[in-house]
Amino acid sequence: APEASARTMDGCGGDGRRPRAVFMAFGTHGDVFPIAALAAAFANDQQQYTVVFITHSAHQSLSTHLAVSKVRYMPVASPPALASEQLDNISYDSVQSNAGPESFSRRKEIIQTEHRKACLASVEEVFGNDPSIHSDFIVINFFALEGCHLAELFQVKCIIAAPYFLPYSAPSSFERQFKQSFPLLYKSAGLTLPIGCGRFSWKVGDCGEMIA
């Protein structure tokens, strides 16, 4: 007789646990809604899966539509976009307790830290301490790259989805922000890309991926 396997043909574990699919998308409506549509379509097509969708609480309107497809909506409190005038409306305790003369960049860093903690807590709630099975995976968009690290932590596959066209030129602030965020990489880079502004830009690859 063949040896017992921890995985069955339908992707369930040996204990009968359903495989889990986490869809994680951050950004504004145009960044998040296409991934939500993928999550709903996947849940309808692969009903053996437990499907969850992690995004900003600002996209609460998606919860009703996702529920129709039995997709669990899991919100995080970080805003889809952040400007200096928005900081007063952020509810993170650590931000409120540090409100005052500190710089916008410092307060933004605090919000990003809290955001990552919330992402970890959400994914941990889904996968818990259960061993992963072959069919478990995380799908992310380009603004949810923390999902790659979470997939590695929980030993599941990670898929980057971009079901939309990207602009063919970078924003005017791209080079300045790139230099500020990655000074060593900026200094050492010797490749000039043909599209966009200056030496640094993005282009769309053969599969629709962004190459920066």
Side-chain angles (χ1 to χ4, degrees), residues 18-46:
R18 299 174 66 187
R20 295 156 293 188
V22 173
F23 288 78
M24 179 184 292
F26 299 118
T28 56
H29 288 179
D31 305 306
V32 171
F33 281 35
I35 308 299
L38 284 179
F42 180 84
N44 288 329
D45 186 65
Q46 302 292 324

Short mmCIF file of all heavy atoms in Angstrom, two decimals, residues 18-46:
data_model
loop_
_atom_site.label_atom_id
_atom_site.label_comp_id
_atom_site.label_asym_id
_atom_site.label_seq_id
_atom_site.Cartn_x
_atom_site.Cartn_y
_atom_site.Cartn_z
N ARG A 18 -8.83 22.47 4.94
CA ARG A 18 -8.95 23.10 3.62
C ARG A 18 -7.70 23.93 3.31
O ARG A 18 -7.14 24.56 4.21
CB ARG A 18 -10.18 23.99 3.58
CG ARG A 18 -11.48 23.26 3.81
CD ARG A 18 -12.63 24.24 3.89
NE ARG A 18 -12.86 24.92 2.61
CZ ARG A 18 -13.72 25.92 2.45
NH1 ARG A 18 -14.41 26.36 3.49
NH2 ARG A 18 -13.90 26.48 1.27
N PRO A 19 -7.26 23.94 2.06
CA PRO A 19 -6.14 24.82 1.70
C PRO A 19 -6.57 26.28 1.83
O PRO A 19 -7.75 26.61 1.74
CB PRO A 19 -5.85 24.44 0.25
CG PRO A 19 -7.14 23.89 -0.27
CD PRO A 19 -7.77 23.19 0.90
N ARG A 20 -5.58 27.16 2.04
CA ARG A 20 -5.87 28.56 2.30
C ARG A 20 -5.21 29.43 1.24
O ARG A 20 -4.06 29.22 0.88
CB ARG A 20 -5.36 28.94 3.69
CG ARG A 20 -6.08 28.23 4.82
CD ARG A 20 -5.24 28.13 6.08
NE ARG A 20 -4.09 27.25 5.88
CZ ARG A 20 -3.27 26.87 6.86
NH1 ARG A 20 -3.50 27.27 8.11
NH2 ARG A 20 -2.25 26.09 6.61
N ALA A 21 -5.96 30.42 0.78
CA ALA A 21 -5.46 31.38 -0.20
C ALA A 21 -5.63 32.78 0.37
O ALA A 21 -6.76 33.19 0.70
CB ALA A 21 -6.21 31.26 -1.52
N VAL A 22 -4.52 33.49 0.52
CA VAL A 22 -4.54 34.86 1.03
C VAL A 22 -4.28 35.81 -0.14
O VAL A 22 -3.26 35.71 -0.82
CB VAL A 22 -3.48 35.06 2.12
CG1 VAL A 22 -3.40 36.53 2.52
CG2 VAL A 22 -3.77 34.19 3.33
N PHE A 23 -5.21 36.72 -0.38
CA PHE A 23 -5.02 37.78 -1.36
C PHE A 23 -4.76 39.07 -0.58
O PHE A 23 -5.58 39.46 0.26
CB PHE A 23 -6.25 37.92 -2.26
CG PHE A 23 -6.43 36.79 -3.23
CD1 PHE A 23 -6.94 35.57 -2.80
CD2 PHE A 23 -6.09 36.93 -4.57
CE1 PHE A 23 -7.10 34.52 -3.69
CE2 PHE A 23 -6.26 35.89 -5.46
CZ PHE A 23 -6.75 34.68 -5.02
N MET A 24 -3.64 39.72 -0.85
CA MET A 24 -3.24 40.92 -0.12
C MET A 24 -2.96 42.04 -1.12
O MET A 24 -2.12 41.87 -2.01
CB MET A 24 -2.00 40.64 0.74
CG MET A 24 -1.49 41.84 1.51
SD MET A 24 0.07 41.47 2.41
CE MET A 24 -0.54 40.30 3.63
N ALA A 25 -3.69 43.14 -0.99
CA ALA A 25 -3.52 44.25 -1.93
C ALA A 25 -3.64 45.57 -1.20
O ALA A 25 -4.57 45.77 -0.41
CB ALA A 25 -4.55 44.17 -3.05
N PHE A 26 -2.72 46.48 -1.48
CA PHE A 26 -2.74 47.81 -0.88
C PHE A 26 -2.65 48.86 -1.96
O PHE A 26 -2.19 48.60 -3.07
CB PHE A 26 -1.60 47.96 0.13
CG PHE A 26 -1.68 46.98 1.27
CD1 PHE A 26 -0.67 46.05 1.47
CD2 PHE A 26 -2.78 46.96 2.11
CE1 PHE A 26 -0.76 45.12 2.50
CE2 PHE A 26 -2.88 46.03 3.14
CZ PHE A 26 -1.86 45.12 3.34
N GLY A 27 -3.09 50.07 -1.61
CA GLY A 27 -3.11 51.17 -2.57
C GLY A 27 -4.50 51.74 -2.70
O GLY A 27 -5.39 51.49 -1.87
N THR A 28 -4.72 52.50 -3.75
CA THR A 28 -6.02 53.11 -3.99
C THR A 28 -6.94 52.14 -4.74
O THR A 28 -6.55 50.99 -5.01
CB THR A 28 -5.84 54.41 -4.78
OG1 THR A 28 -5.13 54.12 -6.00
CG2 THR A 28 -5.05 55.44 -3.98
N HIS A 29 -8.13 52.59 -5.07
CA HIS A 29 -9.13 51.70 -5.69
C HIS A 29 -8.58 50.96 -6.90
O HIS A 29 -8.80 49.75 -7.06
CB HIS A 29 -10.37 52.51 -6.10
CG HIS A 29 -11.19 52.97 -4.94
ND1 HIS A 29 -12.33 53.72 -5.09
CD2 HIS A 29 -11.04 52.79 -3.60
CE1 HIS A 29 -12.86 53.98 -3.90
NE2 HIS A 29 -12.08 53.44 -2.99
N GLY A 30 -7.89 51.67 -7.77
CA GLY A 30 -7.40 51.04 -8.99
C GLY A 30 -6.34 49.98 -8.75
O GLY A 30 -6.15 49.10 -9.59
N ASP A 31 -5.68 50.05 -7.59
CA ASP A 31 -4.67 49.04 -7.24
C ASP A 31 -5.30 47.83 -6.57
O ASP A 31 -4.82 46.70 -6.75
CB ASP A 31 -3.63 49.65 -6.29
CG ASP A 31 -2.98 50.90 -6.82
OD1 ASP A 31 -2.46 50.85 -7.94
OD2 ASP A 31 -3.00 51.94 -6.13
N VAL A 32 -6.34 48.06 -5.80
CA VAL A 32 -6.91 47.03 -4.93
C VAL A 32 -8.07 46.27 -5.57
O VAL A 32 -8.16 45.04 -5.46
CB VAL A 32 -7.37 47.66 -3.59
CG1 VAL A 32 -8.15 46.66 -2.75
CG2 VAL A 32 -6.15 48.18 -2.82
N PHE A 33 -8.97 46.99 -6.25
CA PHE A 33 -10.18 46.35 -6.74
C PHE A 33 -9.93 45.21 -7.73
O PHE A 33 -10.64 44.19 -7.69
CB PHE A 33 -11.11 47.39 -7.35
CG PHE A 33 -11.89 48.18 -6.32
CD1 PHE A 33 -11.33 48.51 -5.10
CD2 PHE A 33 -13.19 48.60 -6.57
CE1 PHE A 33 -12.03 49.23 -4.13
CE2 PHE A 33 -13.91 49.32 -5.62
CZ PHE A 33 -13.33 49.63 -4.41
N PRO A 34 -8.94 45.32 -8.64
CA PRO A 34 -8.69 44.17 -9.54
C PRO A 34 -8.27 42.91 -8.78
O PRO A 34 -8.64 41.80 -9.17
CB PRO A 34 -7.56 44.68 -10.45
CG PRO A 34 -7.71 46.16 -10.43
CD PRO A 34 -8.13 46.50 -9.04
N ILE A 35 -7.50 43.07 -7.69
CA ILE A 35 -7.09 41.90 -6.91
C ILE A 35 -8.28 41.32 -6.16
O ILE A 35 -8.41 40.10 -6.01
CB ILE A 35 -5.96 42.27 -5.94
CG1 ILE A 35 -4.81 42.96 -6.68
CG2 ILE A 35 -5.43 41.02 -5.23
CD1 ILE A 35 -4.17 42.12 -7.77
N ALA A 36 -9.17 42.20 -5.69
CA ALA A 36 -10.39 41.72 -5.03
C ALA A 36 -11.24 40.92 -6.00
O ALA A 36 -11.83 39.89 -5.63
CB ALA A 36 -11.18 42.91 -4.48
N ALA A 37 -11.30 41.36 -7.25
CA ALA A 37 -12.06 40.62 -8.26
C ALA A 37 -11.44 39.25 -8.50
O ALA A 37 -12.16 38.25 -8.67
CB ALA A 37 -12.11 41.41 -9.57
N LEU A 38 -10.11 39.19 -8.50
CA LEU A 38 -9.43 37.89 -8.64
C LEU A 38 -9.76 36.97 -7.47
O LEU A 38 -10.00 35.78 -7.66
CB LEU A 38 -7.91 38.10 -8.72
CG LEU A 38 -7.32 38.60 -10.02
CD1 LEU A 38 -5.81 38.76 -9.88
CD2 LEU A 38 -7.63 37.64 -11.17
N ALA A 39 -9.76 37.53 -6.27
CA ALA A 39 -10.05 36.73 -5.08
C ALA A 39 -11.46 36.15 -5.15
O ALA A 39 -11.68 34.97 -4.86
CB ALA A 39 -9.88 37.58 -3.82
N ALA A 40 -12.42 36.97 -5.55
CA ALA A 40 -13.80 36.51 -5.64
C ALA A 40 -13.95 35.44 -6.72
O ALA A 40 -14.62 34.41 -6.51
CB ALA A 40 -14.72 37.69 -5.92
N ALA A 41 -13.33 35.66 -7.87
CA ALA A 41 -13.42 34.68 -8.96
C ALA A 41 -12.77 33.37 -8.56
O ALA A 41 -13.29 32.28 -8.86
CB ALA A 41 -12.75 35.24 -10.21
N PHE A 42 -11.63 33.46 -7.87
CA PHE A 42 -10.95 32.24 -7.43
C PHE A 42 -11.80 31.48 -6.43
O PHE A 42 -11.93 30.25 -6.51
CB PHE A 42 -9.60 32.59 -6.81
CG PHE A 42 -8.83 31.40 -6.32
CD1 PHE A 42 -8.05 30.66 -7.19
CD2 PHE A 42 -8.91 31.01 -4.99
CE1 PHE A 42 -7.34 29.54 -6.73
CE2 PHE A 42 -8.21 29.90 -4.53
CZ PHE A 42 -7.43 29.16 -5.41
N ALA A 43 -12.40 32.20 -5.48
CA ALA A 43 -13.22 31.54 -4.46
C ALA A 43 -14.43 30.84 -5.09
O ALA A 43 -14.84 29.76 -4.66
CB ALA A 43 -13.68 32.56 -3.43
N ASN A 44 -15.01 31.46 -6.11
CA ASN A 44 -16.15 30.84 -6.79
C ASN A 44 -15.75 29.61 -7.57
O ASN A 44 -16.51 28.64 -7.67
CB ASN A 44 -16.80 31.86 -7.73
CG ASN A 44 -17.55 32.95 -7.00
OD1 ASN A 44 -18.09 32.71 -5.92
ND2 ASN A 44 -17.59 34.15 -7.56
N ASP A 45 -14.54 29.63 -8.13
CA ASP A 45 -14.08 28.53 -8.97
C ASP A 45 -13.47 27.40 -8.17
O ASP A 45 -13.59 26.23 -8.54
CB ASP A 45 -13.05 29.06 -9.99
CG ASP A 45 -12.64 27.99 -10.98
OD1 ASP A 45 -13.51 27.54 -11.77
OD2 ASP A 45 -11.45 27.60 -10.99
N GLN A 46 -12.80 27.73 -7.06
CA GLN A 46 -12.09 26.73 -6.25
C GLN A 46 -12.70 26.72 -4.84
O GLN A 46 -12.12 27.23 -3.88
CB GLN A 46 -10.60 27.07 -6.19
CG GLN A 46 -9.91 27.14 -7.55
CD GLN A 46 -9.82 25.77 -8.21
OE1 GLN A 46 -9.62 24.74 -7.54
NE2 GLN A 46 -9.96 25.74 -9.53
#
